[in-house]
Amino acid sequence: MSNQNLPTGCHVMAKPSGFVCNLDCKYCFYLEKEKLYPERNENWKMNDETLELFVKQQIDAQQGPDVDIAWQGGEPTLLGISFYQKAVKFAQKHKGNKNVHHAFQTNGILINDEWCEFFKQNNFLVGLSIDGPADLHDAYRVTRSGKATHDKVMLAVRLFIKHDVAFNTLTVVNNINAKHPLKVYHFLKEIGSKYIQFIPLVEQQSNQSEPGELTLVHPDSTLTSSVTNWSVPAWQYGEFLNQIFDEWVRKDVSNIFVQTFDTTLANWCKQPGGVCIFSPTCGSALALEANGDLYSCDHYVYPEYKLGNIHEITIKEMNQSEQAIAFGQAKITRLTPECKTCKFRFACHGGCPKQRFISSESGEPNHNYLCDGYLHFFKHTAPYMATMRDLIETGRQANEIMWLVHQHVLKTNQSATANINVGRNQPCPCGSNKKFKQCCAK
């Protein structure tokens, strides 16, 4: 591959605590990664040498002026504020003329005034993991002794607001809270979340793992497996998104930002969406373990997807390696026939490869488990997305769609742009490459 085609940057999800966490979330896919590093049960923290090496290499790996450093876990607060004070100093030492931005994902349990003062002083963007109101959140997100955690997470919310700390929310959509979409959405709005991320929970569990082996497997595993009972049903996930979208498009456009909706609209506008699962290819979204091991993806922390260790080879070199590039390109080269001909391919691109483990209607492997849900969502939202795209392309604001909906100008059973004089013989605005009269006009 020529140098012109090599990646010019990467996102690294750093896990300085590795798999160590102060919760025992029943659905967590990362806790069992301790089986990959049994020697680190006693020495689990990222040391200062690895920390500085990571910060320097992450800065060097970015060609542009902005550098994002993302701290996750396990639970990253377990290392204490002093660890991240050192990280900030290392960033200042090595940044040169670049701008370094820190993001921090936490379960909120250990958040106090001191943490908030640190976040505010250093402009950390904080992501808070919360799965809805108490009854839905506490169904899975519990302490190691099985106690509920919602009250402590809500204390973190109040502290963020008190200290004016910028925060967003990450909600794992599972088999329980997926049944209550508006309850979840209303709750997130009530606590002041303006930036909402929904992560569909989909995991396969091996039926034949040996003691000491990983039980949650990747889609290329040869072990027989089945979908976990805590995973979200495919169509249910689409319906979850649709019900929330119906309220968002009537009340909250440009006020509440839902990552899935924003990314879908970006794809309709032929702009980068910023979310890997709906991008044409994967890659350059890497995961760093506390000892310096680098993996192709946070969801592919398996031995066969390890790219190397930053003590032996740089992040930039690993990101541009044949192994990393092949991993990213496999997303587009392994599309099923149904994906290749789907009229919503431009919006979905086959979804996350980690979830491609069912057979398509034609019997081809590597089809996405969530396909029915995504199709349900993309069909339902197509008229609205097309209208918002057209508003943007004519120099207007996407939030004008709320007026169109309230005036009953826009209906879900017709193409949105039919209301602004799309000709019957013109290309359908949904992106199917068919004439309007042969597609959404029906």
Side-chain angles (χ1 to χ4, degrees), residues 224-282:
T224 59
S225 58
S226 54
V227 178
T228 61
N229 57 14
W230 55 82
S231 294
V232 59
W235 188 89
Q236 186 71 60
Y237 181 60
E239 181 64 14
F240 175 90
L241 293 175
N242 285 348
Q243 290 192 32
I244 293 174
F245 181 88
D246 285 347
E247 174 157 325
W248 176 83
V249 81
R250 287 163 173 78
K251 299 179 180 179
D252 298 323
V253 181
S254 299
N255 184 42
I256 302 293
F257 298 89
V258 180
Q259 187 183 60
T260 302
F261 305 162
D262 291 346
T263 300
T264 302
L265 179 57
N267 282 338
W268 273 85
C269 295
K270 298 181 180 180
Q271 298 294 324
V275 178
C276 57
I277 62 170
F278 291 150
S279 298
T281 60
C282 285

Side-chain angles (χ1 to χ4, degrees), residues 384-431:
Y384 305 99
M385 293 295 175
T387 296
M388 287 188 285
R389 176 203 59 196
D390 291 338
L391 288 168
I392 292 169
E393 289 182 351
T394 55
R396 297 163 71 181
Q397 299 296 316
N399 60 11
E400 291 184 46
I401 193 173
M402 293 188 289
W403 180 87
L404 294 174
V405 173
H406 290 159
Q407 296 299 316
H408 304 287
V409 175
L410 179 63
K411 298 180 180 179
T412 59
N413 64 350
Q414 64 184 45
S415 171
T417 49
N419 298 301
I420 47 178
N421 299 319
V422 172
R424 287 175 53 79
N425 291 310
Q426 289 181 315
C428 186
C430 78

Side-chain angles (χ1 to χ4, degrees), residues 257-375:
F257 298 89
V258 180
Q259 187 183 60
T260 302
F261 305 162
D262 291 346
T263 300
T264 302
L265 179 57
N267 282 338
W268 273 85
C269 295
K270 298 181 180 180
Q271 298 294 324
V275 178
C276 57
I277 62 170
F278 291 150
S279 298
T281 60
C282 285
S284 298
L286 313 172
L288 181 77
E289 280 296 318
N291 71 338
D293 285 348
L294 193 70
Y295 291 85
S296 295
C297 172
D298 178 42
H299 289 277
Y300 280 84
V301 178
Y302 298 93
E304 52 267 57
Y305 296 99
K306 178 181 168 182
L307 298 173
N309 187 288
I310 64 172
H311 290 276
E312 301 167 355
I313 182 172
T314 67
I315 291 173
K316 183 176 181 179
E317 291 174 304
M318 285 187 274
N319 182 44
Q320 296 180 347
S321 67
E322 290 184 4
Q323 181 183 351
I325 293 171
F327 175 85
Q329 291 298 316
K331 181 176 182 182
I332 193 170
T333 59
R334 299 179 67 182
L335 287 174
T336 60
E338 285 81 357
C339 281
K340 292 178 180 178
T341 58
C342 178
K343 71 177 184 179
F344 294 113
R345 176 181 171 180
F346 74 96
C348 176
H349 296 293
C352 179
K354 177 69 183 296
Q355 295 157 358
R356 295 183 185 179
F357 55 81
I358 65 171
S359 296
S360 68
E361 290 184 2
S362 63
E364 291 291 323
N366 303 315
H367 200 63
N368 199 303
Y369 164 86
L370 288 174
C371 179
D372 286 348
Y374 285 144
L375 195 59

